Amino acid sequence: MSGKIEARLGELGITLPQANAPVANYLPYVRSGNLVNISGQITMENGELKFIGKLGKEYGVEDGQKAARLCALNLVAQLRAAIGDLDNVIRVVKLNAFVNSAPDFTDQPKVVNGASDTMVEIFGDAGKHARSAVGVASLPLGVAVEIDGVFEVA
């Protein structure tokens, strides 16, 4: 694929990972009309789990932002698998982010900026979205961040 968004990824030095296969009885994405809902993406890179642990314990905000960025790149990889051409993205509608947090950690929004900034970096104004940033006691496989998303497409 060689559209505007693919060219932008190249300019940014971003290589999208392979879209991860689901690990249970669910779909990685569901398209309904002009919306694509993408299942939660974790900190998987080249088949290897990254960022295992809690924010405020094993990781600080900066590492949390890197973990959130990795989740965002996995979301975009799933989106490309769903629609083929990323130039068909009209808007990033919503991100729901879950941050594996120590009990006293309250900087979930700062962590999730790592994903939000990535969406704007890739899609420009169309990457600006609504979101939730929620602290949780644990996440699958002990990862630090999991993010799902809703995208409007042509």
Side-chain angles (χ1 to χ4, degrees), residues 4-152:
K4 287 186 335 189
I5 298 299
E6 294 290 340
R8 185 174 309 169
L9 289 170
E11 291 166 11
L12 296 168
I14 294 173
T15 301
L16 291 179
Q18 278 292 99
N20 295 313
V23 295
N25 188 18
Y26 66 90
L27 297 171
Y29 55 83
V30 172
R31 183 169 180 171
S32 181
N34 65 341
L35 294 179
V36 177
N37 288 270
I38 300 179
S39 295
Q41 299 297 302
I42 59 174
T43 54
M44 182 80 72
E45 184 176 47
N46 300 321
E48 184 181 337
L49 285 174
K50 303 283 187 176
F51 300 101
I52 305 298
K54 292 188 177 293
L55 274 291
K57 188 174 178 188
E58 287 85 7
Y59 298 109
V61 170
E62 189 173 306
D63 282 331
Q65 290 171 337
K66 291 175 186 172
R69 179 179 176 84
L70 180 54
C71 292
L73 294 176
N74 284 321
L75 281 167
V76 175
Q78 288 291 356
L79 183 59
R80 183 168 66 184
I83 66 171
D85 186 352
L86 291 172
D87 285 355
N88 289 327
V89 173
I90 295 170
R91 162 161 231 106
V92 180
V93 177
K94 175 111 192 248
L95 298 181
N96 295 300
F98 307 92
V99 179
N100 189 356
S101 302
D104 59 348
F105 185 79
T106 60
D107 282 333
Q108 291 86 0
K110 290 179 183 174
V111 167
V112 179
N113 285 344
S116 294
D117 293 347
T118 300
M119 291 301 175
V120 173
E121 188 178 12
I122 294 171
F123 296 108
D125 282 344
K128 295 179 180 176
H129 52 273
R131 76 173 198 195
S132 299
V134 179
V136 296
S138 65
L139 284 171
L141 306 173
V143 297
V145 181
E146 178 177 1
I147 304 175
D148 65 48
V150 180
F151 299 81
E152 181 183 7

